[in-house]
Amino acid sequence: MKFNASLSRAAAAAALVACGSLVALPARAQQIPPPPMSAKAWTIVDVNSGQVLAAGDADARVEPASLTKIMTSYVIFEALRDKRISMEQTVIPGDSVRKVGRDESRTFIEAGKPVSVHDLIYGMIVQSGNDASIALAELVGGSQQGFVELMNRAAQRMGLKHTHYANVDGLTDPQHYTTVADIAAVSTHLIQDFPEYYKIYSEKSFTYNNIRQPNRNRLLYLDPTVDGLKTGHTKEAGYCLVATASRPMPGAAGVNRRVLSVVVGEPTERARVQDSLSALNYGYQNFDTLRVYGANQVVATPKVWKGKDSELKIGVKKDTFITVPKGMADKIKPQLELREPLIAPIANGAPVGTVKVMADGKSLAEFPVVALADVAQASFIGRAWDALRLMFVKK
């Protein structure tokens, strides 16, 4: 069973989003050369669709430096969401914050001096304060090591197979490693799961203890569409940056398209800025992302047997997007395969089929379509009548 042409883009978008992880573009995308990069490893991702636009050594083991704090932040945001802590809560930092070196990024909190969770979070994100990260970790995890265990559990839940954390701030440790692909995945989770806190990453400065410090992400000052995400630097890791921009999506009023880049191991601070901006512009200039249908939009209405309703509305539960090289959108041809016959009762959200996305005769991806409403069983007579009819249909 094939969709008509008007549904082709919609199904393709859902296919690529519903995969649940970052996916590669079709082969034609490789005809668009990425910009030259001086980073040790890098990747460019369209966040709306979850598609990787280009990458270099994305699965190579790297040191994350302060990019670690993206996961630190994620676990802190989970604690806020679950109401285990609050922004207004007061914390009294322990002696461990005194061990933060003068050569490290600091918020300049003081052991024994009360500070709010709000100020610690802003200090960790905007100022990249190692001392603020430690104080938050001890609050939520009971100890730094206890918090590190929470970070590694979160990494497992996200499916990060090449990441292991040994600390909360990103200092060099043989057991502290990741990949740029995993960094992109953590960043995407943070952006999508905690939009209410993500806006903190766009703050250009923060003042604590009468010390004003600027955000080290220079792209915030160079490009008004950039709103995050995190810098990092150690001698061993080099200069690192996760940068992300949000720009209006053509043809979709009120919808923005987000592109994210990760660069690790840059030789200079200037290089990480230049490469990151080039990466973001590459994503916007060479690819199109389309919102193909919204949450709960009906894709098809197949027949239902033995139900109080004779038809079932099917589709996907979330807004769906697709990213393609410019000029390729019309080549996408989805095919819908239903688990027929559909027999009631059917619960809202239950998988009822699969869409395979085709282009140039090749399968690009597939995704489940689900019921968009409940269908209860019919009466005994109705079920008996449909059972009889099904006997002839199957023949």
Side-chain angles (χ1 to χ4, degrees):
M1 176 179 179
K2 293 186 178 182
F3 278 156
N4 59 42
S6 65
L7 294 174
S8 64
R9 292 182 179 180
L16 295 164
V17 171
C19 293
S21 60
L22 303 180
V23 296
L25 282 164
R28 180 173 171 178
Q30 303 308 315
Q31 298 176 13
I32 305 172
M37 308 286 277
S38 57
K40 177 181 178 181
W42 57 275
T43 190
I44 308 169
V45 174
D46 185 282
V47 175
N48 296 69
S49 64
Q51 292 169 252
V52 177
L53 308 183
D57 290 328
D59 293 321
R61 180 178 291 192
V62 298
E63 292 192 32
S66 279
L67 302 187
T68 299
K69 296 187 179 89
I70 299 173
M71 179 61 89
T72 306
S73 300
Y74 188 92
V75 177
I76 295 298
F77 295 159
E78 286 186 316
L80 285 169
R81 178 198 63 199
D82 298 340
K83 301 187 184 305
R84 289 181 282 127
I85 63 173
S86 69
M87 280 287 199
E88 298 75 25
Q89 184 174 344
T90 297
V91 178
I92 299 179
D95 290 339
S96 54
V97 301
R98 292 195 175 105
K99 299 178 182 179
V100 176
R102 293 182 178 274
D103 59 338
E104 299 178 35
S105 300
R106 292 185 291 165
T107 299
F108 296 98
I109 63 175
E110 300 174 28
K113 180 180 178 180
V115 56
S116 68
V117 167
H118 171 279
D119 287 352
L120 289 175
I121 288 175
Y122 274 71
M124 173 181 63
I125 292 174
V126 181
Q127 301 172 339
S128 197
N130 288 357
D131 49 358
S133 302
I134 290 170
L136 285 167
E138 292 180 341
L139 171 67
V140 173
S143 66
Q144 291 183 62
Q145 188 54 46
F147 190 86
V148 168
E149 292 179 8
L150 297 178
M151 294 170 68
N152 284 317
R153 289 178 196 169
Q156 291 177 352
R157 292 196 305 272
M158 294 178 189
L160 310 184
K161 298 180 180 180
H162 306 291
T163 293
H164 186 268
Y165 297 105
N167 56 59
V168 303
D169 45 27
L171 296 182
T172 298
D173 186 293
Q175 296 304 311
H176 193 80
Y177 55 83
T178 187
T179 66
V180 296
D182 282 359
I183 292 170
V186 174
S187 302
T188 298
H189 275 284
L190 187 146
I191 291 166
Q192 295 178 338
D193 295 349
F194 297 106
E196 68 273 35
Y197 300 122
Y198 174 72
K199 61 185 179 181
I200 300 172
Y201 288 90
S202 65
E203 294 289 335
K204 294 181 180 178
S205 67
F206 180 64
T207 300
Y208 178 78
N209 209 6
N210 296 318
I211 302 172
R212 179 182 179 276
Q213 296 187 67
N215 194 315
R216 293 171 175 80
N217 183 0
R218 285 181 55 200
L219 288 184
L220 293 174
Y221 309 89
L222 298 175
D223 185 334
T225 69
V226 172
D227 59 2
L229 180 64
K230 189 70 190 73
T231 61
H233 173 256
T234 63
K235 181 180 179 180
E236 296 78 9
Y239 290 87
C240 312
L241 176 60
V242 177
T244 178
S246 180
R247 302 178 186 176
M249 187 179 297
V255 178
N256 279 7
R257 178 188 175 200
R258 181 175 294 283
V259 173
L260 178 145
S261 68
V262 183
V263 297
V264 170
E266 293 278 11
T268 65
E269 195 271 344
R270 179 185 178 90
R272 77 178 176 189
V273 171
Q274 291 178 330
D275 282 354
S276 297
L277 187 56
S278 295
L280 294 177
N281 287 333
Y282 168 80
Y284 285 110
Q285 293 167 3
N286 295 289
F287 301 90
D288 289 324
T289 295
L290 312 171
R291 183 177 68 169
V292 289
Y293 45 75
N296 297 310
Q297 182 176 338
V298 177
V299 172
T301 54
K303 179 174 178 54
V304 176
W305 300 88
K306 301 184 181 181
K308 287 186 176 180
D309 299 315
S310 60
E311 292 182 338
L312 173 67
K313 295 178 180 179
I314 65 173
V316 294
K317 288 293 186 178
K318 297 181 179 180
D319 285 354
T320 53
F321 300 87
I322 184 171
T323 302
V324 293
K326 286 187 179 296
M328 189 179 175
D330 292 338
K331 291 184 174 291
I332 294 171
K333 306 294 181 183
Q335 295 179 340
L336 174 63
E337 297 179 356
L338 290 176
R339 300 176 182 175
E340 295 182 301
L342 298 176
I343 300 177
I346 300 174
N348 191 337
V352 294
T354 301
V355 165
K356 292 184 177 180
V357 183
M358 311 295 291
D360 295 328
K362 296 181 180 180
S363 177
L364 303 181
E366 62 180 60
F367 70 96
V369 290
V370 301
L372 297 180
D374 294 321
V375 177
Q377 278 189 330
S379 64
F380 174 78
I381 295 175
R383 296 198 306 273
W385 173 244
D386 272 0
L388 181 62
R389 295 171 64 198
L390 273 171
M391 292 175 59
F392 291 96
V393 169
K394 291 179 180 179
K395 292 181 179 180

